[in-house]
Amino acid sequence: MKAFHIVGICHTTYLKHQRRFLFPAINWHWTEEQRHIIREAIARGDVILGGDMRCDSPGYCAKYGTYSVMDLRANKMIDIQLIQSNEVGNSARMEKEGLIRSLDHLKKNGMSTIKRIVTDRHSGVQKFLKSKPEIDHRFDPWHMGKGVGKKIDALAKTRGCKEVGPWKKGVVNHMYWCGSSSSSGREIVAKWKSVANHVQDVHSHDNEDFPECLHLPLVGDQARHWLKPSTAACEKLTDIIKAPRLLKDMEKMSTDFQTSSIESYHSVILKFAPKSVAFSFIGMMCSSAIRHRFGITLSICKTL
Ligand SMILES: [Zn+2]
């Protein structure tokens, strides 16, 4: 505008308009929409929610985070909480705090019962939901697969273990299959443990819940680079697959609902509001009266 000598409002006025008119309008709209989404979820019954944290840390160590909760049946965001790490002590506690605030907010808006919540394996969240036995807490298969994949990647980088690398994709896919094809936690674990034999070209298993692999004999090109029993690579991969905490958590893997839509939502936010842009807005929100709705950011970026 300046370059072409076109008269326009100055930057300060622009920000003032934003703060006085645009933000409150978007806040009002989101509040109305949220009320509607909550009402719909309550009317549908058997509420199943998914929760996940997104940290905003451009050059900072997760100073802010947004905890997003989705109604997984309707595939709609039902609540978003903005958390500042120094409010809760440190960034590791933000995830649990986000969930607590979301559940409080939903309760205040009439959601008295929640059937199930799907999250990642964050220990603070696990501990908190243990104290709420009325809610069935399940773990998201995508997050679990990502964790195992990272461990296999790290193992493949160590000496004498690079042959586990090509198994990563197959093992992670097997994990998803275990979840989607099983009807009980016991069945998931039995199927999952069988992969430790499968990588060694052993396809019958000493387990009554899953005695044999379901695939046809793998011949020719289908034959994989089988791991030799008792080698470091094979032993260490088996340790990853049969880690006691992983097996315990696998029993609680979600078989039907996943939080992948929340991941998509977070990547959409990132596209419209890069972390560096969103940051100044979050800063403003924290010091203003409308700090309780970060969901506004996405709408603002679309509006602008
Ligand atoms: Zn097999």
Side-chain angles (χ1 to χ4, degrees):
M1 293 285 213
K2 219 176 199 174
F4 290 106
H5 300 292
I6 297 170
V7 179
I9 56 168
C10 67
H11 188 63
T12 322
T13 311
Y14 168 78
L15 294 178
K16 221 185 268 172
H17 284 344
Q18 215 182 27
R19 205 168 43 240
R20 284 194 189 157
F21 306 111
L22 185 61
F23 290 167
I26 294 168
N27 188 38
W28 176 84
H29 183 78
W30 160 241
T31 309
E32 283 299 300
E33 192 175 306
Q34 188 188 26
R35 231 177 258 154
H36 182 67
I37 295 168
I38 295 174
R39 260 201 309 267
E40 269 184 347
I42 295 170
R44 211 179 298 113
D46 285 348
V47 179
I48 298 178
L49 303 177
D52 200 14
M53 187 100 198
R54 168 191 185 246
C55 289
D56 296 274
S57 45
Y60 290 76
C61 180
K63 196 173 174 192
Y64 298 100
T66 48
Y67 197 82
S68 313
V69 176
M70 181 174 257
D71 173 355
L72 294 180
R73 282 185 187 279
N75 216 27
K76 283 180 183 169
M77 298 309 306
I78 200 163
D79 191 46
I80 297 143
Q81 294 287 336
L82 175 73
I83 311 285
Q84 203 174 336
S85 71
N86 60 14
E87 274 181 278
V88 290
N90 58 52
S91 60
R93 289 192 201 150
M94 288 201 292
E95 190 139 354
K96 177 183 152 197
E97 186 60 27
L99 178 66
I100 292 174
R101 288 187 197 179
S102 265
L103 295 186
D104 276 353
H105 183 72
L106 293 174
K107 200 173 176 185
K108 273 184 203 143
N109 282 275
M111 190 173 276
S112 53
T113 53
I114 294 163
K115 190 184 175 195
R116 194 186 308 163
I117 294 183
V118 183
T119 69
D120 60 11
R121 294 159 71 208
H122 189 277
S123 58
V125 167
Q126 274 195 52
K127 229 182 202 172
F128 167 68
L129 285 174
K130 232 180 215 169
S131 68
K132 299 207 165 285
E134 70 279 13
I135 301 175
D136 178 20
H137 185 203
R138 298 273 154 177
F139 299 121
D140 176 50
W142 184 82
H143 278 99
M144 292 192 81
K146 197 170 137 193
V148 168
K150 269 188 190 167
K151 283 191 175 146
I152 296 176
D153 274 341
L155 175 60
K157 280 182 195 146
T158 60
R159 237 176 102 200
C161 295
K162 73 172 191 302
E163 61 264 46
V164 302
W167 280 103
K168 176 189 160 187
K169 204 174 157 200
V171 169
V172 172
N173 282 343
H174 179 73
M175 178 178 269
Y176 299 149
W177 175 78
C178 293
S180 61
S181 65
S182 305
S183 53
S184 72
R186 205 174 129 156
E187 192 182 342
I188 298 175
V189 174
K191 284 176 176 171
W192 170 245
K193 284 200 289 191
S194 75
V195 80
N197 289 338
H198 176 91
V199 296
Q200 302 174 54
D201 199 16
V202 174
H203 309 283
S204 53
H205 319 292
D206 187 19
N207 191 319
E208 59 177 18
D209 290 305
F210 192 65
E212 241 174 285
C213 286
L214 298 180
H215 56 78
L216 295 169
L218 301 169
V219 288
D221 288 348
Q222 286 180 308
R224 310 292 195 268
H225 297 288
W226 306 116
L227 300 181
K228 289 191 185 73
S230 305
T231 55
C234 182
E235 295 284 309
K236 285 181 182 165
L237 180 61
T238 305
D239 287 347
I240 292 175
I241 293 167
K242 294 187 177 174
R245 201 184 143 214
L246 178 68
L247 296 185
K248 201 167 152 251
D249 290 349
M250 282 212 77
E251 283 188 23
K252 289 172 70 185
M253 189 157 84
S254 173
T255 54
D256 43 6
F257 288 97
Q258 305 191 1
T259 62
S260 53
S261 301
I262 304 178
E263 297 295 325
S264 315
Y265 167 79
H266 284 162
S267 54
V268 169
I269 288 195
L270 206 61
K271 198 173 158 194
F272 285 96
K275 289 186 177 182
S276 54
V277 174
F279 207 60
S280 59
F281 177 67
I282 296 171
M284 189 219 62
M285 279 177 87
C286 287
S287 57
S288 78
I290 58 164
R291 54 186 276 186
H292 60 296
R293 291 288 180 277
F294 176 62
I296 302 162
T297 311
L298 179 64
S299 319
I300 281 177
C301 291
K302 276 180 182 169
T303 313
L304 296 180

